[in-house]
């Protein structure tokens, strides 16, 4: 599968905001965005007039890069959201929140969604007691995500589990830090997403 392999900080600079793609580096003063927030490229610092389409495109790219999904995947989630009851834009963001890699990140088992996706791909987690290695699986209310018992012997996993004691999780997740287990208490709502999105712009873009 195609995957962006360039510098993550360039993505933040292009979108004009921190997307928190590199974990602690984004908050410890070493973030490139703090030192140079202009868009990458020779003319990145130039002032450019952004039209309606440009704003819609940037908002879509911001959401796509924040959750680390490909263009085709993002469009698929939009089509799913459109068929659901309720507001399409809110449905879209809530679907992205339900991705397994995002849930692993939200429960505090990874410093970034990219790291969470790698841990899931390496089958370090179980979903309802069964081994799973697909980051895009959408969790449901009542699902239980846990660190696989054999993975707990890994030094890296041990360090991550120890960090769960101070982890802050959203209200739709119930975390048992001692046993490295999280239960989906309810489906995430729009109010549970703590990043600023103008999802209506994304809907407008796909509605053209």
């Amino acid at each position: 599968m195609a995957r962006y392999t360039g510098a993550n900080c360039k993505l933040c600079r292009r979108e004009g905001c921190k997307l928190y793609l590199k974990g602690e580096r984004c908050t410890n003063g070493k973030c490139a965005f703090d030192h140079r927030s202009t868009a990458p490229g020779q003319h990145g610092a130039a002032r450019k007039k952004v039209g309606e389409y440009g704003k819609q495109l940037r908002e879509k790219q911001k959401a796509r890069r924040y959750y680390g999904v490909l263009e085709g995947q993002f469009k698929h989630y939009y089509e799913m959201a459109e068929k659901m009851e309720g507001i399409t834009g809110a449905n879209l963001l809530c679907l992205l929140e339900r991705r397994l890699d995002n849930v692993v990140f939200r429960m505090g088992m990874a410093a970034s969604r990219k790291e969470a996706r790698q841990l899931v791909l390496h089958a370090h987690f179980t979903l309802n007691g069964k081994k799973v290695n697909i980051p895009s699986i959408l969790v449901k209310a009542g699902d239980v995500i846990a660190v696989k018992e054999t993975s707990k012997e890994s030094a890296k996993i041990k360090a991550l589990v120890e960090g769960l004691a101070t982890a802050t999780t959203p209200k739709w997740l119930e975390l048992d830090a001692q046993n490295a287990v999280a239960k989906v208490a309810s489906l995430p709502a729009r109010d549970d997403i703590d990043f600023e999105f103008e999802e209506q712009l994304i809907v407008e873009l796909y509605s053209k």
Side-chain angles (χ1 to χ4, degrees), residues 46-62:
R47 292 185 177 180
K48 298 177 183 178
K49 185 177 180 180
V50 181
E52 181 184 353
Y53 174 78
K55 292 178 181 178
Q56 295 166 352
L57 178 63
R58 292 269 58 87
E59 198 64 25
K60 186 264 291 183
Q61 292 293 75
K62 182 170 75 173

Side-chain angles (χ1 to χ4, degrees), residues 9 13 18 20 25-37:
C9 291
R13 289 172 56 200
K18 281 191 179 185
Y20 300 96
R25 186 181 176 87
C26 298
T27 57
N28 64 6
K30 296 181 180 180
C31 179
F33 186 84
D34 291 335
H35 306 290
R36 189 178 181 186
S37 59

Side-chain angles (χ1 to χ4, degrees), residues 135-208:
S136 61
I137 286 179
L138 298 180
V139 300
K140 304 183 295 295
D143 282 352
V144 176
I145 299 93
V147 175
K148 195 171 61 174
E149 285 300 321
T150 53
S151 295
K152 290 180 180 179
E153 301 303 317
S154 162
K156 179 178 178 61
I157 299 297
K158 279 183 179 179
L160 291 170
V161 171
E162 288 173 2
L164 290 179
T166 57
T168 301
T169 56
K171 63 183 181 182
W172 54 275
L173 278 180
E174 295 178 354
L175 178 65
D176 178 353
Q178 185 174 357
N179 296 308
V181 176
K183 181 179 179 180
V184 182
S186 62
L187 294 182
R190 177 63 183 91
D191 293 341
D192 295 323
I193 299 171
D194 55 2
F195 193 82
E196 186 175 341
F197 289 110
E198 293 183 62
E199 60 269 23
Q200 183 57 34
L201 292 177
I202 303 173
V203 176
E204 292 171 3
L205 177 67
Y206 280 114
S207 298
K208 289 183 181 294

